[in-house]
Amino acid sequence: MALRGCLRAGLGLGLLRRAGPRGPPARGRCAGGRPPAFGFLFDVDGVLVRGSQVVPAARLAFQRLADSSGRLRVPVVFLTNAGNCLRSARAQELSHALGLQPPPTTGFPTIEGVILFGEPVRWETSLQLITDVLLSNGNPDSELQDIPYPHLPVLACNMDLLWMAEAKMPRIGHGTFLLCLENIYKKVTGRELKYEALIGKPSTVTYRYAAYLIQEQAEKQGWNVPIRRLYAVGDNPMSDVYGANLYNNYLKSAHQNLVQAGVKRSLQTASPQTEDHLRLRKDCNNSVESCESILVCTGVYRHSADVPTKTKECTMESVFHGHRDFCFDPSLVEASHIVQDVNDAVQLAFKKENWS
């Protein structure tokens, strides 16, 4: 019988979770009566938790983010590539750790092909099974004949080579598993493994969806002011900083293209709505103008100097840990700001926004 549908290596997906307020929405309640024009994208491992241990600064940070009633004053999305547990279980853990109401999790459609969510427990078994499926075009119980190419669609949802848990040293992640799979496939077939899509940090599509959730959250809270700026807080230069900077470049480029093309004028015409028109309309409705990367020193990245006083410091690394399908650009791993922990990151953003 043909093996179609989803083949999973591990559990989970690059999570996009909205932090829910306690009680009914605070309709327009915010600092000084002024609605926020900014939001936060928080990485989880190495920023808020280290394995099962909460980073002490995380509780302080969320005390600043919530009002006296425990309601969030600023829209927040948890943006993580972690795939070592179910979304619902991780949401419960985060809520308990940070003193929040359980964040809702979003569903994802089933995709036919091979879907790689996160590193499995037994790598050799998963590598063998996935290789069998790709070489047999979804019929692993049949004898090997002509190797199909292109192979079945492969979707990877986490490209992190390293991540931080309780251990002092970084742990190898799903990006390392993908590296193994890519090399095995090429060694066996002589051809490159191709991905239908790469989702999760640092992919731009992940940040675009996160921005959509941020704006949706603000509207549900009654903050009828467009979210103009995002602050992406992470501990990994190769995924968190790279992704935020890549998205920031995308925002700049999209804005310039829209201005040059005179999109606002063309969207007012009565011409048929082509695919390009629909895409440009979505870009016009996206209020986000910038995404600043804030690097913390409680996870993969460490700094021995007086970090809190330093901003816009180069974090260029000599070895590129990113996925092979992403080009290495030293400027993309240079954080906008480097701070000691997530509490300092929140304070920095509040100061830039003149937010009490």
Side-chain angles (χ1 to χ4, degrees):
M1 182 176 66
L3 178 61
R4 302 282 180 176
C6 297
L7 175 66
R8 301 188 178 192
L11 295 173
L13 188 62
L15 306 182
L16 290 165
R17 302 196 183 104
R18 288 166 287 183
R22 294 176 177 173
R27 306 294 294 181
R29 293 177 60 187
C30 43
R34 177 168 59 92
F38 65 103
F40 286 97
L41 308 180
F42 287 114
D43 182 35
V44 176
D45 293 300
V47 176
L48 304 178
V49 299
R50 291 277 299 272
S52 61
Q53 304 298 316
V54 181
V55 175
R59 289 188 179 274
L60 295 175
F62 276 83
Q63 288 174 7
R64 296 180 184 278
L65 290 168
D67 62 18
S68 58
S69 300
R71 299 186 179 96
L72 286 173
R73 302 186 297 141
V74 177
V76 169
V77 162
F78 299 116
L79 182 56
T80 173
N81 282 342
N84 59 341
C85 67
L86 293 173
R87 294 190 302 273
S88 57
R90 196 62 186 272
Q92 291 288 342
E93 293 174 2
L94 268 180
S95 302
H96 176 73
L98 301 175
L100 298 172
Q101 190 178 27
T105 56
T106 55
F108 294 86
T110 300
I111 303 174
E112 184 174 353
V114 178
I115 306 179
L116 306 175
F117 288 92
E119 61 270 22
V121 175
R122 296 183 60 185
W123 285 33
E124 70 282 4
T125 301
S126 294
L127 288 169
Q128 181 67 70
L129 180 57
I130 295 170
T131 301
D132 288 347
V133 171
L134 294 177
L135 296 182
S136 64
N137 201 32
N139 293 277
D141 56 345
S142 61
E143 293 185 3
L144 180 64
Q145 297 179 356
D146 293 333
I147 298 176
Y149 198 82
H151 49 66
L152 289 176
V154 177
L155 176 69
C157 305
N158 177 352
M159 294 151 279
D160 289 353
L161 189 76
L162 304 171
W163 66 287
M164 286 300 293
E166 293 97 337
K168 301 295 183 182
M169 298 288 290
R171 305 293 87 189
I172 56 176
H174 191 234
T176 309
F177 179 81
L178 296 179
L179 187 62
C180 293
L181 178 62
E182 292 159 10
N183 281 277
I184 290 172
Y185 185 84
K186 186 173 184 179
K187 193 71 173 179
V188 172
T189 67
R191 293 169 170 169
E192 294 284 350
L193 179 73
K194 294 185 179 298
Y195 294 93
E196 189 76 9
L198 294 170
I199 299 177
K201 296 175 293 186
S203 297
T204 300
V205 64
T206 301
Y207 288 83
R208 292 177 65 184
Y209 183 54
Y212 163 77
L213 292 180
I214 284 283
Q215 187 64 59
E216 181 185 58
Q217 184 183 147
E219 292 173 356
K220 288 183 177 180
Q221 290 285 51
W223 301 328
N224 297 317
V225 172
I227 300 299
R228 299 295 185 188
R229 295 167 295 280
L230 296 178
Y231 296 92
V233 185
D235 70 304
N236 192 333
M238 293 296 176
S239 59
D240 301 317
V241 173
Y242 188 110
N245 289 343
L246 192 65
Y247 179 55
N248 191 56
N249 288 349
Y250 163 82
L251 291 172
K252 293 179 180 178
S253 177
H255 177 72
Q256 292 174 354
N257 291 339
L258 292 173
V259 171
Q260 293 174 359
V263 174
K264 291 184 179 179
R265 182 173 61 254
S266 66
L267 290 178
Q268 294 172 353
T269 66
S271 59
Q273 294 295 294
T274 65
E275 183 176 342
D276 286 341
H277 276 106
L278 294 175
R279 179 182 60 79
L280 292 173
R281 182 185 293 276
K282 290 181 180 179
D283 285 336
C284 281
N285 292 335
N286 182 8
S287 62
V288 177
E289 299 173 351
S290 66
C291 180
E292 293 193 24
S293 55
I294 305 180
L295 184 62
V296 300
C297 304
T298 52
V300 171
Y301 179 78
R302 296 297 179 91
H303 197 283
S304 58
D306 184 18
V307 177
T309 64
K310 298 181 180 290
T311 59
K312 293 190 176 181
E313 181 175 340
C314 180
T315 63
M316 182 172 57
E317 300 189 13
S318 57
V319 179
F320 180 50
H321 289 172
H323 190 269
R324 61 153 209 220
D325 291 353
F326 285 85
C327 297
F328 179 54
D329 181 347
S331 67
L332 292 178
V333 294
E334 182 179 346
S336 301
H337 311 278
I338 304 177
V339 296
Q340 184 59 43
D341 53 45
V342 64
N343 188 42
D344 289 340
V346 169
Q347 291 187 72
L348 172 65
F350 278 11
K351 183 176 181 180
K352 289 177 64 67
E353 296 291 332
N354 192 27
W355 191 264
S356 60

